[in-house]
């Protein structure tokens, strides 16, 4: 119950809470007896749970718990409310944060358009969530291993994934690190410690936990694992598995939920009825938890710094919920105005937008230069467009690669099948797009 | 052969079931165990041999991890007994009761290059982890263009009929996995093979599933070499040479077929070649086709249901590659297309009588 009491103080709503606390007084541990009207006289010592007995029957209601508060550093006007929370980042770092967010935003806009023109088959933008990516990535070390869902391209931007690498992946050409095998936006980089994305939701979650466990046992380990997922994905069974394994097996993993309010068309109130994803952490799984304003890059940064320090020092997991709003459509196969209003989107795309907030902060600091911003965006646009033209022209990998990587070595039956296709193509050269593929 | 037969031990594995339901002690086994002789070694049953293999794997590879439900105290089939004491609770440990978690966790461990030996308590309970195994483990290397893989991962999964296991302690789900490129699937027929295959899978750079016929854990006893050795993956074993009919099976069914082959020789002077397929995926097409071309008659037998069982794949492949050599249609003797029943198990299994009738039919075709 200590969490309950702490959140009472944090919320500054002591009076209201005391009323609730009285209702469930009997369930409060002896350490919370100052709030209790009838002290527990006996303690239950069951293997499944240790708690005081009560002689009055009470349902514990979700309303008995104050919601976990949202940590923020900067308000929507770009002012820091509590100076002690200012991360004091240098101008250089803040400018990199800003530029990376702009780069991601600009690249998204163009690649989204190029999908609409049929140049790439699929795309997913990151609009509105730029601060969650950049703020969290900035607080990590490159040796920390990242598992993502698909809407975390900003983490790659921060780590140095290049425009050409993003676009080559979307085209699946011969320079795609993934060898053209997956749909667009399924990025991965061994060099940048970013595990290749896959479409099935939440499968990466227990995997991240396993990786964290293995890393923990390595002598002198000083790297953690970060696993990103959306609030919709958190409904999958694998999310439950991950939370529970991480807690019981004590794994240094940050379970980072991007709660953007929607899973395709499903709003979060049809996704869960508890206190978001953060609410599951402390009482549900016994995991330390932080909830932050995901449109505030400094809040995300500070919280991630603290989270990283905690998981590595304690060798325990942490649940991190970053609240934001999915400003863009779910993907290029979705029109989100079919299930939400344009006015609502507009609020999050302007005053509440993470890039606008950081921009206002920079203006106050005297670090913002409009001409520079315009120039930068223009430059990124040019680079992206040029890269699209280049990536489009590049050949796809040799079709024989379709048979490679199924196993570490190609087994006999695949050698046979490859030969069969070879003979077939030889006989029907004109029926296949061979000129687009490497020889 | 009689001196090679091992007396059947009535198993009291009931206590290892998840529920507390006491099942009546039912029948004797439907098979007679034919041990593989491999010179000298230590007398071990199959769970001893698997325990010995994991002991060697954990000492050979200092970072290897062993985990699953109830693995810590030795496992419900005693396969991991004493290993936690020997290697510590950080390396040999219980997981929460969640198969999708076990599989996902194992993949993550393997992503870092660490060896993961994960146990799914019964093959019947592997289905919650189906997504992790099929969509993730099997496709990791392929989809990442080789940037990431989970090749250092092995699943150990007790499977098959046990006399009274009914629907959820008897299944043989190998065919579900055989349809998935990227996996290795193997089934041992006894202690020597179980140890060799398990050690080979642990070392193999691909995700592997070892389906261990649980009825053999105690019943199968052989002289097992105590040192480290591996059994070749993807290779079938010809256990009995013959010229008239090829009998193909794996796991417990191999022993049924060996007995049937003896009987066929005595009863109708038919000379059967018995092949243990061993590897379900990738499988040894060469060994099967060579034998099929020699005998011209093939019977495939497995405990799993007929429709879309792995026998279908073998039969169609043989038909395609050995068409001109076949003297009779390829025959499948398998479990029926029903769930695995409790009291009707003796009528469900492709036992020696059904296999023997199949031989008579195929030679008289």
């Amino acid at each position: 119950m200590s969490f309950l009491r702490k959140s009472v103080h944090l919320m500054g709503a002591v009076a209201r809470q005391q009323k609730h606390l009285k209702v469930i007084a009997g369930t409060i541990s002896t350490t919370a007896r100052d709030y209790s009207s009838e002290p527990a006289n006996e303690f239950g010592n069951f293997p499944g749970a240790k708690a005081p007995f009560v002689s009055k029957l009470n349902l514990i209601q979700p309303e008995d718990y104050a919601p976990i508060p949202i940590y923020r550093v900067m308000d929507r006007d770009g002012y820091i409310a509590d100076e002690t929370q200012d991360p004091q980042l240098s101008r250089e770092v803040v400018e990199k944060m800003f530029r990376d967010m702009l780069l991601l935003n600009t690249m998204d806009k163009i690649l989204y358009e190029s999908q609409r023109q049929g140049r790439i088959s699929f795309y997913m933008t990151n609009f509105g969530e730029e601060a969650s990516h950049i703020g969290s990535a900035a607080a990590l070390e490159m040796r920390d291993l990242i598992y993502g869902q698909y809407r975390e391209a900003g983490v790659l931007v921060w780590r140095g994934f290049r425009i050409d690498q993003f676009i080559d992946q979307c085209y699946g050409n011969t320079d795609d690190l993934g060898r053209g095998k997956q749909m667009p936006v399924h990025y991965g980089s061994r060099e940048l410690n970013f595990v290749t994305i896959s479409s099935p939701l939440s499968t990466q979650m227990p995997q991240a936990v396993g990786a964290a466990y293995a890393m923990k046992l390595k002598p002198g380990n000083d790297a953690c694992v970060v696993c990103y997922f959306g609030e919709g994905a958190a409904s999958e069974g694998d999310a439950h598995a991950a939370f529970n394994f991480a807690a019981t097996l004590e794994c240094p993993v940050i379970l980072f939920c991007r709660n953007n309010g929607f899973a395709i068309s499903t709003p979060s109130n049809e996704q869960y009825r508890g206190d978001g994803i953060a609410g599951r952490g402390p009482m549900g799984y016994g995991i330390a938890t932080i909830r932050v304003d995901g449109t505030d890059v400094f809040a995300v940064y500070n919280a991630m710094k603290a989270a990283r320090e905690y998981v590595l020092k304690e060798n325990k997991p942490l649940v991190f919920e970053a609240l934001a709003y999915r400003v863009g459509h779910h993907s290029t196969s979705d029109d989100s105005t079919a299930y939400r209003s344009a006015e609502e989107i507009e609020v999050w795309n302007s005053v509440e937008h993470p890039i606008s907030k950081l921009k206002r902060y920079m203006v106050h600091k005297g670090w913002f230069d409009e001409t520079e911003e315009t120039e930068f965006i223009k430059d990124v646009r040019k680079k992206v467009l040029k890269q699209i033209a280049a990536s489009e022209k590049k050949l796809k990998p040799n079709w024989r690669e379709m048979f490679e990587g199924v196993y570490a070595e190609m087994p006999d039956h695949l050698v046979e099948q490859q030969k069969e296709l070879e003979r077939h193509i030889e006989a029907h050269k004109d029926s296949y797009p061979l000129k687009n593929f490497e020889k | 052969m009689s001196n090679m037969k091992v007396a059947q031990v009535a198993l009291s594995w009931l206590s290892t079931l998840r529920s507390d339901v006491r099942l009546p002690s039912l029948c004797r086994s439907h098979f007679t165990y034919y041990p593989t002789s491999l010179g000298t070694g230590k007398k071990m049953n199959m769970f001893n041999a698997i325990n010995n293999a994991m002991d060697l794997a954990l000492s050979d590879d200092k970072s290897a991890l062993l985990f699953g439900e109830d693995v810590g105290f030795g496992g419900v089939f005693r396969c991991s007994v004493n290993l936690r004491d020997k290697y510590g609770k950080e390396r040999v440990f219980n997981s929460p009761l969640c198969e999708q978690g076990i599989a996902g966790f194992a993949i993550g461990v393997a992503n870092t290059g660490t060896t993961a030996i994960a146990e799914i308590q019964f093959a019947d309970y592997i289905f919650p982890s189906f997504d992790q195994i099929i969509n993730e483990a099997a496709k990791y290397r392929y989809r990442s263009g080789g940037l990431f893989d989970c090749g250092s991962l092995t699943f150990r999964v007790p499977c098959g009929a046990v006399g009274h296991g009914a629907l959820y302690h008897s299944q043989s789900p190998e065919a579900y996995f055989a349809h998935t490129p990227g996996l290795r699937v193997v089934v041992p027929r006894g202690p020597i093979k179980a140890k060799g295959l398990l050690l080979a899978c642990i070392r193999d750079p691909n995700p592997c599933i070892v389906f261990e016929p649980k009825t053999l854990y105690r019943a199968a006893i052989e002289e097992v070499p105590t040192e480290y050795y591996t059994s070749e993956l993807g290779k079938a074993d010809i256990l009995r040479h013959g010229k008239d009919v090829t009998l193909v099976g794996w796991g417990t069914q191999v022993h049924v077929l060996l007995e049937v082959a003896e009987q066929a020789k005595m009863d109708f002077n038919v000379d059967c070649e018995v092949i243990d397929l061993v590897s379900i995926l990738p499988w040894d097409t060469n060994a099967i086709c060579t034998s099929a071309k020699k005998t011209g008659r093939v019977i495939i037998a497995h405990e799993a249901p007929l429709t879309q069982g792995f026998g279908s794949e073998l039969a169609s492949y043989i038909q395609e590659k050995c068409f001109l050599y076949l003297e009779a249609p390829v025959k499948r003797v398998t479990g029926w297309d029903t769930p695995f029943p409790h009291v009707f198990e003796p009528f469900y299994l492709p036992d020696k009588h059904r296999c023997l009738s199949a031989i008579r039919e195929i030679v008289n075709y």
Side-chain angles (χ1 to χ4, degrees), chain A residues 147 198 207 213 402 407-408, chain B residues 90 111 136 140 142 183 206:
Chain A
Y147 284 79
S198 74
Q207 294 170 13
Y213 187 90
M402 176 169 71
Y407 294 88
Chain B
E90 293 205 309
N111 285 156
E136 295 291 317
Y140 234 102
Y142 189 77
L183 297 177
N206 299 293

Side-chain angles (χ1 to χ4, degrees), chain B residues 29-356:
Chain B
S29 298
H30 66 284
F31 64 95
T32 300
Y33 187 72
Y34 285 74
T36 299
S37 78
L38 200 98
T40 52
K42 199 175 152 210
K43 206 166 214 182
M44 294 186 203
N45 63 23
M46 198 165 87
F47 83 66
N48 298 143
I50 289 165
N51 181 269
N52 176 237
M54 295 198 291
D55 191 355
L56 290 171
L58 289 163
S59 73
D60 176 62
D61 174 354
K62 300 287 179 250
S63 70
L65 304 177
L66 171 60
F67 52 88
E69 294 158 15
D70 306 301
V71 161
F73 88 114
V76 297
F77 292 113
R78 315 314 293 147
C79 290
S80 53
V81 85
N82 293 330
L83 296 177
R84 181 170 64 184
D85 291 343
K86 197 163 171 188
Y87 297 101
K89 62 180 172 28
E90 293 205 309
R91 294 184 60 199
V92 180
F93 53 93
N94 291 337
S95 74
L97 204 165
C98 180
E99 286 76 13
Q100 64 194 101
I102 293 169
F105 185 90
I107 293 167
V109 167
N111 285 156
T112 68
T114 299
T115 298
I117 310 167
E119 178 181 308
I120 302 290
Q121 204 162 73
F122 287 83
D124 312 67
Y125 306 126
I126 201 169
F127 300 110
S129 59
F130 206 56
D131 183 40
Q132 284 286 356
I133 296 174
I134 305 298
N135 275 332
E136 295 291 317
K139 298 171 174 56
Y140 234 102
R141 187 192 311 274
Y142 189 77
R143 72 167 184 231
S144 69
L147 296 179
F148 296 92
D149 68 74
C150 60
S152 57
L153 150 64
T154 301
F155 291 107
R156 286 188 42 243
V157 193
C159 74
V162 73
H164 44 252
L167 287 81
Y168 308 113
H169 297 86
S170 308
Q171 292 181 63
S172 297
E174 65 272 8
Y176 290 103
F177 297 91
H179 196 52
T180 305
L183 297 177
R184 273 193 187 280
V185 181
V186 300
V187 189
R189 66 173 176 276
I192 293 171
K193 207 71 190 169
K195 178 178 171 183
L197 286 174
L198 184 54
L199 287 173
C201 283
I202 290 168
R203 221 169 239 193
D204 187 73
N206 299 293
C208 299
I209 306 176
V210 186
F211 284 114
E212 303 166 354
K214 58 183 151 328
T215 194
L216 302 179
Y217 277 139
R218 287 169 193 272
I221 297 167
E222 286 170 347
E223 303 272 325
V224 181
T226 50
E227 71 274 13
Y228 189 104
Y229 68 91
T230 59
S231 182
E232 195 181 340
L233 300 172
K235 200 178 161 299
D237 291 342
I238 300 172
L239 300 180
R240 179 190 170 110
H241 292 277
K243 58 178 175 36
D244 299 327
V245 182
T246 299
L247 306 179
V248 187
W250 48 91
T252 318
Q253 194 64 23
V254 165
H255 304 289
V256 175
L257 295 178
L258 284 166
E259 188 178 352
V260 162
E262 264 185 58
Q263 199 70 41
K265 182 73 189 163
M266 281 195 301
D267 293 0
F268 352 109
N269 197 28
V270 170
D271 217 0
C272 291
E273 180 141 303
V274 178
I275 303 182
D276 176 4
L277 189 66
V278 183
S279 287
I280 305 297
L281 186 75
W283 63 281
D284 192 345
T285 52
N286 194 31
I288 300 300
C289 289
T290 305
S291 177
K293 284 176 183 172
K294 181 174 76 178
T295 63
R297 290 180 171 85
V298 184
I299 295 171
I300 302 149
H302 56 65
E303 288 179 10
L306 175 77
T307 302
Q308 292 289 359
F310 196 64
S312 317
E313 172 60 26
L314 290 171
S316 65
Y317 192 90
I318 292 164
Q319 179 273 139
E320 191 179 334
K321 302 291 178 187
C322 314
F323 186 67
L324 293 176
Y325 300 83
L326 292 178
E327 304 289 347
V330 176
K331 174 81 187 156
R332 290 172 292 158
V333 186
T334 69
W336 305 113
D337 286 344
T338 69
F340 199 107
H342 185 208
V343 300
F344 310 123
E345 179 169 324
F347 305 97
Y348 175 88
L349 285 173
D351 64 5
K352 58 184 175 188
H353 311 293
R354 283 178 56 205
C355 291
L356 202 60

Side-chain angles (χ1 to χ4, degrees), chain A residues 142 261 365:
Chain A
M142 189 63 99
K365 280 275 190 183

Side-chain angles (χ1 to χ4, degrees), chain A residues 257-282:
Chain A
C257 178
R258 297 176 296 94
N259 190 337
N260 62 18
F262 293 91
I264 308 187
S265 74
T266 306
S268 51
N269 70 348
E270 292 172 23
Q271 200 64 249
Y272 54 75
R273 283 297 158 93
D275 180 23
I277 308 309
R280 299 174 195 175

Side-chain angles (χ1 to χ4, degrees), chain A residues 201-228:
Chain A
L201 289 180
S202 314
T203 47
Q204 82 280 14
M205 297 180 68
Q207 294 170 13
V209 174
Y213 187 90
M215 282 161 65
K216 172 178 87 167
L217 296 193
K218 287 183 177 164
N221 173 55
D222 61 349
C224 69
V225 178
V226 180
C227 177
Y228 293 88

Side-chain angles (χ1 to χ4, degrees), chain A residues 335-359:
Chain A
D335 172 13
S336 67
T337 56
Y339 50 83
R340 57 185 193 179
S341 74
E343 296 78 51
E344 180 184 298
I345 301 171
E346 189 43 39
V347 174
W348 292 95
N349 201 19
S350 50
V351 281
E352 297 289 358
H353 199 281
I355 297 181
S356 330
K357 283 183 189 175
L358 184 58
K359 187 192 286 188

